[in-house]
Every structure is written in C-alpha cells, then in structure tokens.
Amino acid sequence: MVDVSEELIRGLKKKAVTLRKHIIRMTHNAQSGHPGGSMSACDIVTALYFQVLRVDPKKPQWPDRDRFVLSKGHACPVWYAALAERGFFPVDELMTFRKINSRLQGHPELGTTPGVENAAGAEGQGLSFSVGLSLAARMDHKAWRVYCILGDGEQDVGQTWEAAMAASKYGLDNLTAFIDRNGIQQEGRTEDIMPLEPLAEKWEAFNWHVLTIDGHDFRQILAAIDEAHRTKGRPTAVIARTVKGKGVSFMENKIKYHGAATSDDELKLALAELDAQEAAV
Amino acid sequence: MTSGPWKMESQRTYFGKALIELGRRNPDVVVVGADTTESIKTIDFGKAFPDRLFQLGIAEPNMISVAAGLAAAGKIAFAATYSVFGSGHTYNVIRQNVAYTNLNVKIFCSHAGLTVGPDGATHQINEDIALMRGIPRMTVLVPADGPETAKCVDAAAAMKGPVYCRFSRTNVPTVTSTEDDFAIGRARVVRDGSDVTLIGCGLMVARCLEAADRLDRDGVEARVINLSTVKPLDVATIDRAARETGGIVTAEEHTIVHGIGSAIATAIAANHPVPMGFVGVQDVFGESGEAEELLRKYGLTAEKIVDAARDVMKRRGRTR
C-alpha cells in the first residue's frame, strides 16, 4: 500500500462530494444526462485529477501531460466537474451542460472543451484510442501515462476486447484501464443484459495485470495506480467495484438514474445529503 | 489527351512506395494495419521502419481508433486495408474517433468497387464514397491511377484533418503522369471539349477518355474531367463545364446512390442545371468474376458513357 496521509484522503473525499454536487446540479439543470454512472466513477476521477495526473490547466495542450480518456462518454458530467474544479474552465460554465452553444456537449467533444482528450458516446472506442496514445508515448520515449475509464456496459462491445488484445500484444505498461463495475447499464443489471462474470479472469486471459478494488476507497484507488506504475511489460486493468448513483441514497443502485435527471424535490434531497457528507468529512 | 495505349499499373505499388518515401521525410508518419499489410503493400513500410507499423489483426474498428489515438498524440497515422473493412465495417468509429475529432488520420483503402473480382460481392464495396462523403470534415479522394495515388499520399499527409482515399485492387491504366500537378480539391480537365462533359473518378477516367475518342470520331468534342477529389468538390470547374458544354455524364465504379454523380448533380442543380447521365453501379450488389468481365456486365464501359453522352445531348436538343 502507498503511504497516504489522513489529510490527503480527507481532501479527496471533500472534492468528490463537490464533484457529486456539480453532477446533480448539471443534470438537473439540463433535465437530461447520466448522473448514475458519473457518480459511480466520481472517486476514481477525483483521485486522478486531484492527486495523480500531471496536467496543467493553464496549458491544456502541454505535450508531456498525462492523458485521461473517458471511454464511457455518457459519464462526462463527472469529467467536466473535475476539469472545472481543477481550473480548466470556470465552474459557472458547468450550468451550460447540454444547452445550446455550450462547450460542454452531452457527450465529450475533442477540441471544444479545455482538458477533454477524446470524443466518446458511441461505446467501446476509448480503450483503442488509449492504445494509440500509449503507443505514441512509447515511440517518443515519453514518460507520460494514459488512464482510461471504461463502463462495465462497454464490456459488451467487441472493440473493447480488440483493444485489450492490442494493448497486451504491445505490452503497454504505460496504460491503466479502470472498469467502473457498477453492475448496471441502460436497460438493467449487466448480468441480466449480458453476463460479464468472471470479468477479472477475462482480462487476465487477455494477458493484463488485473486488480480488483473498492472503487470508492481512495486508499485502494491510489494503491492500484501505484501498483500499475510499478507493473512492467503489461497494461493494468483495475476492476473497480462501484455503486451506480453513489453518494445519494435514493439514487444508489437504481437503474432509472443511468439516464435520468433528478426532479426539483429530488434535487433538494440529494444536495442536502451531499451537504451532510461534506460536513462529516 | 487521347486514350491509350496505357501502361497497366498497380495503385497499391505506388501507394506502398510513396508511403516509404514519406516516412523517410517525416518521422511522425506511422501506419496501422489489419492483417492485409502484405496485400496492400504497407508491409514494406514496416520493413523500412519496424517500430512505425502496427499490425492490429482482423480488428478494423480498433485499428481506426488506435490510429486516432496516435494522431491525437501528434502522429500522422495512415490506416490502410481493404475498402469494405476500412470504410464499411468501421463507419461509426471513423465518424466519432476520426472526423468528429478532426484528427490526422489518413484512411487509404485498396480493393474498392467491383474490380476486386473473384472474391465477390462481400468484398466489392460500391458504397464507400457515399459513406465517407456524408461525414462532416472528411476529405474524400479517388485517384485515377498509380501516380495519382502516390500524390494523394503526400497531399493527405500535408493537410490537416481526416482523409479517406480509395483505389483498386486490379491494375489500372496509367492516364496521368508523375509531372502533372495535383492538389486536393481541384478537378483536372484532362481533355478539352465544348459539346458535352464526361466526369470520371478512379479507373473510370480512362474509360471517359476512351469514350471521348469515340465521340470525336462522330465530331462530338467531349470535355473530360478527372475528379480525383470527391470532397471538397471543385464546384467552379464543374459549374464551368455545365455552362460551357451544356450536359454532363458522370462515371464511377461505385453505386450511383450518393456517389460522384449525386455530388455533381447537387452542385449543378444549385448553380446551372443541365441534363445529366449517370454511369455507375445501379443500386445492386456485384458478384464473382474477373475485373474486366464485371465492369462490362455492370455497364461500366466506354460504350455506356458514349450512350449516356448522346442521350444527354439529345435531351438538350443537340446532337453535336
């Protein structure tokens, strides 16, 4: 385990609550979007943007930056929230999400939003894109690393496994993939729609270094990233067990909140819960 | 320019050589392949630059996205395979990862159209121009022959953004010369004439020239245009042809649905409508056979172009 201070963990927890509040407000304001999968990935995104990634909000195109790729593009509210909090663009702009003339599209667009590194929405393309980035970094003998978050629904997509084969063929140890294993996709439980288990064994069979963690435990997230950094000759897949809608009790594990915003009443309840969490940190 | 006799040459060979020369000049050029590298001649690039060719197996969607990732990190990524896989199987990946992102991915596909031959309809994509020209930000190239294919490689690398370039498996008549100037977005008048205009792309340019020779014997002076860039369309050259010759025949080894004929008809209708004829695959699948047999059976011949030209002239009330 990496040695992390209480203070660091407390700071990350606090930031994650802030991001969750943004997610709830953004999707409520838009009355559309995908809060559930944004909240399940929130702690991983928080750990990356506020502890791990070498990025510079003043220079979003800095060539030696680490690359973060969101393959599950529908979870972009959490990405936009993290980028805004990290200073890539004003926090106020989050309320333009999904509105006309906004830089914050319903699914990520490359070149429009400062800090966004890929276009996603059609599932299953992000890991392949990450493989291309990782190959380029290696060709140029660069130290920057690539982190990709995939949804578990994306494990249905054939291209995900094409990418998995390519990453292990080229031994891309500068690539870390997180699988946001919240167990729910648009129409139901992943195991009902298209059974994925045994999932860790699948990734192992594709010759990845595989870790299974609690995707809401910052110590485990940071330890997994540390282990990925130390793993040579193979890419690392982190299967992060998460809860869809994590952080708001009435949204947790509810299929509905994959792609539904909160009502006005629900917004108040959700924010009250998150405020209480913030106070408790 | 008159027709033939022309040297029959492989566009793939020109493609492979041009890629290596480009690779020598520009270390940022990389190539991805999908288990067709020998056939499409990118394997030689890999021999020249072993760490710059990525063999990704029979996984074209992954190939295209990997190319996009390489391009996002500053590379000029050439993705090359057969057209049916490189455009059809990968359509939405190209749309989202290449065109929407406006990245420097250059998709160069051989084995377009009927002349794939004995492999049959599964491999004969006659819809790729339609697919690719419909995508915003995509540049679509159809070189007439080997020398022009080589020029497409250089021009595609020199421009910013995505490119789709399609060419043939079969050897095609070399109708252009290495010395001819070439620019993306410019249609080239390869034979002057004022009675009717024949606009072809790919191997149909040679057939347009043959048709022009035949028409000439009856005193009809046909202008011939080599439309090596389908998108962006050279509207000025086409508009001038419409105004000056009063009738247009298009010829393509592609379905007439949303091919170059459709593109040109749209431009003409908006500017200076004239009667048109469309030589191409008539909304059907191909079949096994030799390239020449297929071109004949599906009506992609100089005779059909001549017939279409006469019909256009008749509809316009002129015979010459």
Side-chain angles (χ1 to χ4, degrees), chain A residues 172 175-178 208-211 224 227-228 231 234-238:
Chain A
L172 296 176
L175 172 61
T176 306
F178 289 89
W208 284 56
H209 178 57
V210 181
L211 302 167
E227 185 168 330
T231 301
R234 282 201 293 174
T236 296
V238 181

Side-chain angles (χ1 to χ4, degrees), chain B residues 190-203:
Chain B
V190 293
R191 175 175 172 138
D192 219 351
S194 53
D195 294 328
V196 67
T197 300
L198 315 177
I199 306 179
C201 66
L203 55 75

Side-chain angles (χ1 to χ4, degrees), chain B residues 95-164:
Chain B
R95 184 178 179 275
Q96 174 171 291
N97 261 187
V98 174
Y100 189 44
T101 54
N102 204 23
L103 288 168
N104 270 327
V105 176
K106 319 297 176 181
I107 302 163
F108 273 63
C109 288
S110 170
H111 293 51
L114 292 171
T115 53
V116 169
D119 278 345
T122 56
H123 285 51
Q124 296 162 351
I125 191 162
N126 296 309
E127 308 89 53
D128 56 325
I129 294 173
L131 286 170
M132 292 299 122
R133 83 178 182 91
I135 303 179
R137 296 179 184 154
M138 184 61 82
T139 290
V140 181
L141 306 176
V142 187
D145 61 9
E148 210 165 68
T149 307
K151 288 173 196 168
C152 285
V153 170
D154 291 344
M159 69 162 272
K160 189 186 174 311
V163 174
Y164 176 74

Side-chain angles (χ1 to χ4, degrees), chain A residues 122 128 140 159 162 169-170, chain B residues 55 62 65 75 92 96 100:
Chain A
S128 300
D140 294 345
Q159 190 182 340
E162 295 179 2
K169 171 183 174 177
Y170 288 103
Chain B
Q55 168 62 268
N62 183 55
S65 293
K75 305 298 174 192
N92 191 46
Q96 174 171 291
Y100 189 44

